[in-house]
Amino acid sequence: MKLCVAVLLFYMFQVIHGQPDYQGFISIDCGIPLNSTYQDSITNIVYVSDYGFITTGENRIISSDYMEPSLAKRYSNLRFFPHGPRNCYTLRSLVMGNKYLVRASFYYGNYDGLGKPPVFDLYLGTNYWHEVNYSDAGAFNWMDIILVVPTDYLQVCLVNKGMGNPFISGLDLRPLNTTLYPEVNASQSLVLVNSNRFHMGPTDNSIIRYPSDPLDRIWTTYNAIPNCTKISATSPMHNNLRDVYDVPPSVMQNAATVNSSRIDFSWNPSDPSANINSKYFFIFYFAELQHVPSKAVRQFDIIVNNKTWNSRPYTPTFLFANYFSGVVQGMENYSVSLVATKNATLPPILNAMEMYLVKPITAVATDPEDARAMMAIQDNFGVVKNWMGDPCTPKTFIWRGLNCSYPPANPSEIMGLNLSSFGLVGAISTNFRDLKALQYLDLSHNKLSGPIPNFIGELSSLMFLDLSSNDLSGPIPYSLLQRSQNGSLSLRVGGNPNLCGNGTSCRTVRKKINGTLLAAIVVPIVIAITLFVILFLLRQALKGKAKRKATGHEDGSALLGSREFSYKELKHITNNFSQEIGKGGFGPVFLGYLENGNPVAVKVRSESSSQGGKEFLAEAQHLTRIHHKNLVSLVGYCKDRNHLALVYEYMPEGSLQDHLREPLLLVNHSLGSSVFRSPLMLHKVLSICTSPVSQH
Ligand SMILES: *[C@@H]1O[C@H](CO)[C@@H](O)[C@H](O)[C@H]1NC(C)=O
Ligand SMILES: *[C@@H]1O[C@H](CO)[C@@H](O)[C@H](O)[C@H]1NC(C)=O
Ligand SMILES: *[C@@H]1O[C@H](CO)[C@@H](O)[C@H](O)[C@H]1NC(C)=O
Ligand SMILES: *[C@@H]1O[C@H](CO)[C@@H](O)[C@H](O)[C@H]1NC(C)=O
Ligand SMILES: *[C@@H]1O[C@H](CO)[C@@H](O)[C@H](O)[C@H]1NC(C)=O
Ligand SMILES: *[C@@H]1O[C@H](CO)[C@@H](O)[C@H](O)[C@H]1NC(C)=O
Ligand SMILES: *[C@@H]1O[C@H](CO)[C@@H](O)[C@H](O)[C@H]1NC(C)=O
Ligand SMILES: *[C@@H]1O[C@H](CO)[C@@H](O)[C@H](O)[C@H]1NC(C)=O
Ligand SMILES: *[C@@H]1O[C@H](CO)[C@@H](O)[C@H](O)[C@H]1NC(C)=O
Ligand SMILES: *[C@@H]1O[C@H](CO)[C@@H](O)[C@H](O)[C@H]1NC(C)=O
Ligand SMILES: *[C@@H]1O[C@H](CO)[C@@H](O)[C@H](O)[C@H]1NC(C)=O
Ligand SMILES: *[C@@H]1O[C@H](CO)[C@@H](O)[C@H](O)[C@H]1NC(C)=O
């Protein structure tokens, strides 16, 4: 029981945050209070609110005139969109390239008292789905689309076309096995405009859906076959594993038949936007439901618009579903005839059928990585504006502040981003780094704070960067300064009082620290130093005792004053080791710049170097101990897993090699000694080898 509750909570927690549930279903009851959920009493599906899927729109309850006790909860309320030309739901955590059924449901119910259902357009991201034009205020309507998703998210957009505010009552997403509906692929989808998915059950208005249909397709009763009789299976139906439409047994267990030798009916798309170019995809399902006496024959032809679909006279299989499917085009009226053959003694039957509009998927959207980055930037800064749906496409709905490329037949890329005066607060989002084609970035006049991240300098297409009038602090990354100096980047950083690196040293900034900050920083430091001194004195006292027994090394802390760099820091300092300025004893030397703009030479042990960590550290040791007139001073070192490096002050005059040669010789000279036993932590090595020089 506890487990059940825990499991239930877990799943509810999942769906609340805009994720698919454990079956991969997303079931949104648009218009219920934010964060509320409930379980549908008939399907047991848990419906969630719009929260996490959309940020715009308002909730409404339908007019009491249209409230009926039998009305499903999801139709009693809706979400409508009085503002903006395009409002979009974003369904996340999908599997790119997988097949899904998406269903949008509409029940107008005169919620706005205007007595006139609006007409608007539905889009899936960039691709036009269909017009929504359901003129009956009191009718349940839904529109399905079966498609392959091009990305791991899908946006369902409602577009206002000046004929009333778009609204929506429910939005469902169901995953389909990719082997199902093989007609659906990356370039073609199937749309169910009206409820054109039919079973032949005897009861009018009976709906078959989940859990009877595990895919949660909605099947309604078909009543338009003239003079037909409904028959039912006398034994349980079976699933036909080769059925690529996976029609459920509950749908197949009823069929329509007639007293004559043929079933004739016509079907009309009843879609105002259908025209001569509209292509439809029909699927007819057949299964024998009755024990056919040995002498009897049920055999017929399937004729659609005067065209025979079966190549041989067709006899349905007992209790197993078969189907005939095909594309038909160019009619406002489709005729279907099932005609018994001459040899038949039993009339034709029909168990179920589906009629889809064939919809090519042609529009190219924004590059998925760019689109994801923009959505993340939007989440990060809480930008609303018109930032909904695909960022660049369709062009008429481009997100404010964006400038995109529209190469024919290729995804759009974001070339420019002008978020000047967008009210952005906080650190510069790391998501900007994914906008690989970005040329212009204007983030001026916001409240951005923290350092300018290094990755900005790595945006290779960037030509214009305006970070002025923010609250950024710290150094300007070397890569940016370099690009600004060589003219490949126009850089504006003015109006950031705490920025340094362009002429100004970071140190001058520190003087500006105010009283409270001072207290917050200095007091802990003083305490820490006091503690350290006490510990150090204690240790010295203990050492003194030990010294009497052991040979006695001085405890040197020559390197303690120098800085330890991480490998990552070195990468930044040297702009990814881009500028090699010489070769040292055991590897290359690179030019780099510290945060304060001071140039440094970074000497890295190469992979191929015969010298090991011990020798390397020995050099560090010597350099800090030996005061030599030609010697450059050591700024710090790096011992980060396998990476060993030394950071020196850079002396532009003369060859660095000259400056480095002598200490190297000294190091080599000391190799004969057996002092360097412990290659452990640098400070350990140091404490062991503080006196090697005195040994030779
Ligand atoms: C909905 O839930 C989220 C987190 O689960 C919370 O941040 C948000 O404030 C909630 N909204 C409302 C209206 O309760
Ligand atoms: C909406 O449908 C009605 C018929 O149901 C039709 O008369 C009308 O022209 C359609 N409106 C649009 C904008 O397509
Ligand atoms: C998809 O269909 C294949 C073949 O029928 C089957 O092996 C596989 O288990 C199915 N996958 C899912 C997720 O149902
Ligand atoms: C999708 O299916 C249609 C019709 O079967 C076909 O013409 C088209 O080439 C297919 N597209 C892809 C990308 O497989
Ligand atoms: C239906 O049956 C009635 C009488 O049984 C007959 O008059 C009528 O023509 C039939 N309709 C069709 C379409 O077969
Ligand atoms: C079909 O024929 C049977 C017997 O021949 C009869 O009982 C039944 O009423 C007929 N059904 C219709 C719809 O005409
Ligand atoms: C079917 O053929 C008949 C006669 O051959 C013709 O009258 C009718 O218009 C055709 N129907 C369609 C839908 O093509
Ligand atoms: C469709 O065709 C059928 C028979 O061919 C005819 O009875 C019906 O009136 C037609 N409907 C329309 C809307 O054309
Ligand atoms: C109809 O029955 C005859 C005689 O039984 C047989 O020769 C013929 O092949 C059958 N036709 C079909 C289409 O089954
Ligand atoms: C978009 O970029 C083009 C070319 O760089 C430029 O001409 C245009 O003004 C830009 N548009 C906006 C809105 O920034
Ligand atoms: C960005 O937009 C602001 C106005 O919103 C404008 O002043 C500025 O010039 C734009 N920046 C670029 C690079 O176009
Ligand atoms: C750096 O400072 C100089 C003058 O001190 C100024 O001309 C230049 O524009 C500044 N560079 C940046 C990127 O702000």
Side-chain angles (χ1 to χ4, degrees):
M1 181 60 204
K2 261 184 191 162
L3 185 71
C4 286
V5 172
V7 166
L8 185 68
L9 282 176
F10 174 70
Y11 289 135
M12 291 181 87
F13 180 83
Q14 283 228 312
V15 287
I16 282 172
H17 286 81
Q19 301 285 321
D21 70 7
Y22 65 103
Q23 297 182 90
F25 284 19
I26 292 175
S27 314
I28 308 169
D29 182 345
C30 309
I32 56 172
L34 286 185
N35 284 3
S36 63
T37 69
Y38 65 88
Q39 189 169 28
D40 183 77
S41 55
I42 295 169
T43 59
N44 286 340
I45 290 173
V46 174
Y47 283 86
V48 301
S49 75
D50 315 70
Y51 180 82
F53 299 102
I54 195 164
T55 51
T56 53
E58 295 171 27
N59 293 350
R60 284 289 183 277
I61 298 174
I62 59 159
S63 153
S64 55
D65 301 345
Y66 290 87
M67 285 284 191
E68 291 162 26
S70 61
L71 193 69
K73 187 165 163 40
R74 64 189 163 283
Y75 293 120
S76 62
N77 40 50
L78 54 84
R79 195 167 185 88
F80 82 111
F81 301 94
H83 305 296
R86 177 172 70 163
N87 289 270
C88 302
Y89 282 80
T90 305
L91 310 177
R92 291 172 219 264
S93 302
L94 311 186
V95 181
M96 180 178 145
N98 271 15
K99 220 166 264 185
Y100 291 89
L101 182 151
V102 180
R103 176 167 49 235
S105 311
F106 307 94
Y107 185 74
Y108 170 65
N110 199 18
Y111 80 92
D112 52 5
L114 300 176
K116 189 171 182 296
V119 179
F120 53 96
D121 282 333
L122 274 186
Y123 279 79
L124 280 162
T126 303
N127 278 278
Y128 182 60
W129 178 354
H130 205 274
E131 182 182 77
V132 176
N133 179 7
Y134 297 121
S135 42
D136 184 349
F140 311 111
N141 293 292
W142 59 87
M143 204 176 280
D144 284 0
I145 187 165
I146 300 177
L147 81 165
V148 169
V149 296
T151 48
D152 59 0
Y153 61 89
L154 184 68
Q155 288 170 320
V156 177
C157 302
L158 295 89
V159 172
N160 190 325
K161 46 200 269 183
M163 288 180 268
N165 292 325
F167 77 95
I168 187 166
S169 307
L171 185 60
D172 298 320
L173 174 129
R174 311 288 181 239
L176 301 184
N177 198 322
T178 41
T179 54
L180 298 179
Y181 291 91
E183 295 72 26
V184 173
N185 59 30
S187 59
Q188 185 170 287
S189 63
L190 294 178
V191 173
L192 202 68
V193 179
N194 294 296
S195 45
N196 291 318
R197 190 186 287 118
F198 302 107
H199 67 87
M200 302 293 162
T203 327
D204 283 3
N205 302 323
S206 95
I207 280 179
I208 296 176
R209 60 176 292 190
Y210 188 84
S212 298
D213 184 347
L215 305 180
D216 194 29
R217 287 165 293 188
I218 295 179
W219 305 78
T220 56
T221 322
Y222 194 69
N223 294 319
I225 297 179
N227 293 350
C228 80
T229 319
K230 300 281 177 78
I231 58 170
S232 296
T234 49
S235 318
M237 296 292 301
H238 302 292
N239 259 342
N240 189 342
L241 296 177
R242 278 169 303 175
D243 175 7
V244 293
Y245 306 108
D246 205 12
V247 62
S250 51
V251 165
M252 292 303 291
Q253 70 185 1
N254 296 300
T257 187
V258 284
N259 263 2
S260 64
S261 64
R262 53 189 296 155
I263 294 178
D264 289 294
F265 64 96
S266 69
W267 176 81
N268 184 310
S270 56
D271 173 4
S273 48
N275 60 41
I276 195 90
N277 296 317
S278 305
K279 273 189 196 171
Y280 286 87
F281 180 71
F282 287 3
I283 314 167
F284 299 104
Y285 299 96
F286 305 99
E288 182 58 75
L289 301 181
Q290 296 169 326
H291 289 284
V292 177
S294 58
K295 289 262 174 65
V297 176
R298 191 183 313 271
Q299 197 182 59
F300 53 91
D301 294 323
I302 298 117
I303 303 164
V304 182
N305 283 353
N306 284 356
K307 195 162 176 281
T308 306
W309 279 15
N310 53 313
S311 48
R312 287 172 293 134
Y314 173 65
T315 298
T317 314
F318 185 51
L319 303 180
F320 277 93
N322 294 127
Y323 57 84
F324 284 85
S325 61
V327 174
V328 284
Q329 183 178 11
M331 299 288 157
E332 58 183 29
N333 197 4
Y334 294 83
S335 72
V336 180
S337 298
L338 307 174
V339 183
T341 61
K342 283 194 182 108
N343 285 7
T345 60
L346 295 171
I349 59 169
L350 174 63
N351 302 59
M353 59 186 178
E354 297 179 78
M355 281 93 164
Y356 290 97
L357 178 65
V358 177
K359 198 101 199 162
I361 300 269
T362 48
V364 220
T366 304
D367 173 76
E369 206 178 324
D370 278 12
R372 258 193 296 270
M374 284 312 302
M375 286 192 275
I377 289 166
Q378 175 179 35
D379 284 353
N380 193 311
F381 293 114
V383 179
V384 182
K385 308 271 176 191
N386 70 336
W387 285 25
M388 265 169 288
D390 189 80
C392 296
T393 64
K395 213 169 174 173
T396 42
F397 296 124
I398 185 170
W399 289 11
R400 203 160 303 147
L402 269 63
N403 201 340
C404 301
S405 68
Y406 296 95
N410 277 316
S412 289
E413 287 184 311
I414 294 162
M415 316 292 291
L417 203 48
N418 186 353
L419 310 185
S420 180
S421 308
F422 260 50
L424 312 182
V425 178
I428 295 178
S429 161
T430 54
N431 298 297
F432 286 107
R433 68 153 45 119
D434 298 325
L435 300 171
K436 298 278 187 265
L438 200 63
Q439 295 178 352
Y440 295 85
L441 179 58
D442 189 343
L443 298 175
S444 62
H445 300 281
N446 287 298
K447 293 198 182 72
L448 295 170
S449 54
I452 301 176
N454 278 300
F455 63 76
I456 295 274
E458 287 153 22
L459 290 169
S460 54
S461 311
L462 203 63
M463 298 188 301
F464 176 90
L465 177 62
D466 193 345
L467 299 173
S468 58
S469 300
N470 279 291
D471 197 16
L472 297 164
S473 55
I476 299 170
Y478 171 68
S479 49
L480 281 180
L481 283 178
Q482 205 186 27
R483 283 169 67 178
S484 164
Q485 271 151 26
N486 74 17
S488 63
L489 176 74
S490 161
L491 178 65
R492 292 180 197 169
V493 292
N496 288 283
N498 296 323
L499 262 190
C500 51
N502 181 22
T504 58
S505 160
C506 282
R507 275 191 204 109
T508 58
V509 174
R510 291 201 190 109
K511 287 180 192 153
K512 292 179 188 164
I513 292 172
N514 63 31
T516 33
L517 251 185
L518 205 69
I521 293 171
V522 171
V523 170
I525 289 177
V526 169
I527 292 171
I529 289 176
T530 314
L531 276 174
F532 179 80
V533 168
I534 292 169
L535 285 174
F536 181 78
L537 289 177
L538 265 176
R539 194 167 163 224
Q540 287 297 83
L542 291 172
K543 267 263 157 75
K545 272 186 195 167
K547 229 175 180 176
R548 270 164 241 139
K549 291 177 189 170
T551 42
H553 290 291
E554 267 177 68
D555 192 296
S557 48
L559 265 192
L560 288 182
S562 66
R563 172 172 166 191
E564 180 169 358
F565 291 88
S566 70
Y567 185 65
K568 217 175 140 190
E569 279 177 293
L570 287 190
K571 266 179 92 165
H572 288 320
I573 286 172
T574 61
N575 192 23
N576 205 14
F577 304 107
S578 53
Q579 201 174 343
E580 189 176 324
I581 51 172
K583 279 246 185 293
F586 41 68
V589 183
F590 297 96
L591 177 63
Y593 289 85
L594 294 181
E595 298 88 336
N596 59 10
N598 289 348
V600 286
V602 179
K603 191 163 186 279
V604 182
R605 183 181 67 134
S606 70
E607 297 287 329
S608 59
S609 169
S610 56
Q611 273 181 301
K614 284 188 282 185
E615 292 83 352
F616 192 84
L617 293 168
E619 179 177 350
Q621 178 51 32
H622 278 282
L623 287 175
T624 50
R625 292 211 17 108
I626 297 166
H627 187 73
H628 191 282
K629 60 180 181 349
N630 287 335
L631 198 54
V632 292
S633 67
L634 187 74
V635 175
Y637 60 91
C638 161
K639 183 163 188 309
D640 192 343
R641 275 165 280 140
N642 290 334
H643 301 294
L644 294 174
L646 297 173
V647 181
Y648 304 97
E649 244 175 44
Y650 178 49
M651 296 191 137
E653 320 83 30
S655 147
L656 189 84
Q657 191 92 26
D658 296 341
H659 295 296
L660 296 181
R661 183 161 294 133
E662 284 196 68
L664 285 175
L665 290 174
L666 283 169
V667 171
N668 289 342
H669 190 59
S670 70
L671 284 179
S673 87
S674 56
V675 183
F676 307 102
R677 249 178 242 114
S678 166
L680 303 173
M681 301 290 290
L682 183 61
H683 69 266
K684 275 207 174 154
V685 178
L686 289 174
S687 58
I688 295 170
C689 57
T690 40
S691 52
V693 181
S694 59
Q695 288 185 351
H696 55 259

